[in-house]
Amino acid sequence: VCGVPGIGKTQLLCQFALNVQIPEVFHGLGGETLFLDTEGTFFPERVAEMAHELSKHLMKMAQHTAAQR
């Protein structure tokens, strides 16, 4: 992935790194991720925020599915 600074390359790849780890029960890959940061633009705090929001979304999906049964 390449482009000018500030267009969201790191953000996009962090989201991909999280998405690949979505459990199979949610139709995800249930995989693992290795993120190599060669520019020093990786911020663990931001990824933790993104992971928290993703987990909230998955919880809502689980509750919705459970309510439909």
Side-chain angles (χ1 to χ4, degrees), residues 23-39:
E24 291 176 10
V25 70
F26 291 104
H27 305 289
L29 297 175
E32 297 179 6
T33 302
L34 174 65
F35 194 104
L36 298 175
D37 178 18
T38 62
E39 295 183 342

Side-chain angles (χ1 to χ4, degrees), residues 18-69:
L18 291 172
N19 287 355
V20 101
Q21 298 178 68
I22 294 174
E24 291 176 10
V25 70
F26 291 104
H27 305 289
L29 297 175
E32 297 179 6
T33 302
L34 174 65
F35 194 104
L36 298 175
D37 178 18
T38 62
E39 295 183 342
T41 57
F42 180 83
F43 294 100
E45 301 83 8
R46 177 62 186 136
V47 177
E49 290 172 4
M50 293 169 68
H52 179 72
E53 292 301 318
L54 177 59
S55 74
K56 285 179 15 183
H57 176 70
L58 294 174
M59 288 294 288
K60 286 180 185 178
M61 286 178 57
Q63 291 169 350
H64 179 71
T65 301
Q68 288 182 335
R69 294 181 180 182

